[in-house]
Amino acid sequence: MKTPPFKRSLKNNFFTLDGRKCLALAAATALIANSTAYASSKVINDAGTTDEEKQKITFSGSGYVGYRHDSNVSVSELDTNSNVDDSAVQSKALLKVSVKPTNEWENELSISRADTRYQTLSEFDLGLTTLSASTKYTLDFAKLGAHYYHASATLDGRDFLTYQQYGLSAGKLLGQRTYLRISSDLIDKKFKNRPEDAPIRDSEAVALRSDLFYFFEGDDFFQIALKYQNEDAQDNAFDYTGKGIDLAYTYPFAVFSKPLKLKVAYQLDMRDYASVQDSGIGREDDRQLIEMSADYAVYDHIDIRLSTQYGDYASSVDGANYQETIAELGINVHF
């Protein structure tokens, strides 16, 4: 079947952008490296500066251990669910360095690792290593930024998925309480160790997102995001156009003189897959996710986290049509 013109155009654009991806990543790395050297020299050479001016490089990190119960262990990226409940130990670690050469220019590098280990369904054990880099510069009219995100996932101890995301963003404070951020991204997914008869899910995508934050008189705030994504897979059956909305409300307050942060969030993702005429199956997905969490600071650097989420993954494909509830209790140590 002949490839439609818009598909050929999308693929051509991705091949053209490969060089730009490498150039963008190299430029971001160089900028962050230069800013690190600049910040270090400023701290060493300016003996007479104030403490605030010396804080050019800062380090932060965290470690988390939690216990979760999953009503229906699943791998959404593979449209697979077990219809079996299980419990798991969840662990996470994060290390971040922030470099701020000037008041207007800030950079971040971070690396993290997350593991989910199930008691019974070890074939669903998931490991995730992520690396991210970002640079932002504040101008009079907006804050402009570039970011890169790389994730490597393992499933049951075997390489599973490599995910890369490159993007640009712009943010602007509107009045005293409203902040608007717009971003565009290129996404690349590559699946590994797939069975011989399994379809090729490798894909490239273009994504757009806008976030609007509204800050109330207290420290609470509301967030609404609009999302769009056009994904082009090697197997046309997995081509889709996605639209969605995210809503979240965060309310921090004190209990027994200790900070407590409550958050309620809702996500809706609607995907229209390739039609039969384009070698697809005309699949449609409507994914809804409701999350609630509470973070309580028992000590300055120790938080207790309680969270729950319910997902309704409605799809015209049986394997992708299921419900899932996850509850988790954990402790987070940070510095």
Side-chain angles (χ1 to χ4, degrees):
M1 180 176 292
K2 188 176 181 180
T3 304
F6 75 92
K7 288 291 185 185
R8 294 199 301 271
S9 175
L10 180 59
K11 289 187 176 182
N12 290 336
N13 286 340
F14 274 120
F15 290 131
T16 303
L17 286 169
D18 281 344
R20 297 181 187 176
K21 289 179 182 179
C22 296
L23 181 60
L25 179 58
T29 304
L31 284 172
I32 295 175
N34 288 338
S35 67
T36 304
Y38 174 85
S40 300
S41 64
K42 290 290 287 181
V43 173
I44 293 173
N45 296 330
D46 294 354
T49 57
T50 65
D51 290 339
E52 181 179 356
E53 290 173 329
K54 289 182 180 181
Q55 295 302 316
K56 300 296 182 181
I57 303 178
T58 58
F59 293 89
S60 61
S62 64
Y64 172 87
V65 177
Y67 181 81
R68 69 159 54 175
H69 184 79
D70 192 335
S71 69
N72 184 3
V73 181
S74 64
V75 182
S76 61
E77 292 83 0
L78 297 178
D79 298 329
T80 301
N81 68 96
S82 64
N83 279 322
V84 176
D85 68 312
D86 199 1
S87 298
V89 174
Q90 180 83 11
S91 60
K92 300 177 184 177
L94 169 68
L95 181 63
K96 180 189 297 183
V97 57
S98 299
V99 183
K100 194 172 183 180
T102 68
N103 290 332
E104 297 81 15
W105 187 18
E106 54 185 310
N107 307 274
E108 282 189 354
L109 283 170
S110 69
I111 184 170
S112 66
R113 173 71 184 183
D115 287 280
T116 304
R117 296 288 179 261
Y118 288 96
Q119 290 185 348
T120 304
L121 302 176
S122 60
E123 63 270 26
F124 287 89
D125 286 353
L126 183 66
L128 184 65
T129 301
T130 62
L131 173 68
S132 67
S134 67
T135 183
K136 300 176 183 177
Y137 197 90
T138 302
L139 300 171
D140 292 338
F141 62 92
K143 176 182 284 190
L144 304 180
H147 53 268
Y148 170 72
Y149 178 85
H150 182 280
S152 298
T154 60
L155 189 64
D156 194 18
R158 304 177 64 200
D159 290 340
F160 161 51
L161 172 66
T162 298
Y163 178 100
Q164 296 187 84
Q165 181 171 334
Y166 312 76
L168 300 173
S169 65
K172 174 68 175 178
L173 184 64
L174 307 175
Q176 298 296 318
R177 301 184 184 277
T178 306
Y179 186 81
L180 175 65
R181 183 178 63 205
I182 299 174
S183 62
S184 62
D185 291 274
L186 299 176
I187 300 171
D188 181 87
K189 299 179 187 177
K190 286 184 172 58
F191 291 83
K192 302 179 180 180
N193 291 317
R194 64 181 184 86
E196 291 184 3
D197 57 344
I200 301 177
R201 293 173 176 261
D202 294 358
S203 65
E204 294 173 319
V206 176
L208 300 173
R209 180 184 176 103
S210 65
D211 290 85
L212 185 69
F213 300 84
Y214 183 81
F215 299 89
F216 297 94
E217 291 187 1
D219 293 328
D220 56 325
F221 64 92
F222 176 77
Q223 176 187 0
I224 179 171
L226 301 178
K227 305 175 293 184
Y228 172 84
Q229 182 164 320
N230 187 299
E231 187 153 323
D232 180 37
Q234 288 194 29
D235 188 329
N236 286 350
F238 298 104
D239 293 353
Y240 74 84
T241 299
K243 294 167 287 190
I245 184 171
D246 292 352
L247 303 172
Y249 175 68
T250 302
Y251 182 68
F253 61 103
V255 175
F256 301 117
S257 301
K258 301 289 186 180
L260 172 64
K261 182 173 70 175
L262 301 179
K263 182 178 179 179
V264 179
Y266 171 78
Q267 298 178 28
L268 172 64
D269 291 286
M270 299 174 290
R271 297 182 178 181
D272 293 325
Y273 286 78
S275 64
V276 177
Q277 289 80 4
D278 297 326
S279 301
I281 57 176
R283 169 180 167 182
E284 292 185 1
D285 286 6
D286 290 326
R287 303 182 176 191
Q288 299 184 74
L289 186 66
I290 300 174
E291 297 179 274
M292 292 180 290
S293 64
D295 291 270
Y296 185 58
V298 292
Y299 295 103
D300 289 343
H301 301 285
I302 301 177
D303 300 340
I304 293 178
R305 179 178 176 84
L306 175 63
S307 64
T308 183
Q309 67 178 49
Y310 170 75
D312 182 7
Y313 304 93
S315 174
S316 55
V317 173
D318 289 341
N321 185 47
Y322 63 95
Q323 290 79 41
E324 182 179 22
T325 301
I326 298 175
E328 185 169 324
L329 175 63
I331 184 170
N332 186 52
V333 180
H334 54 89
F335 65 90

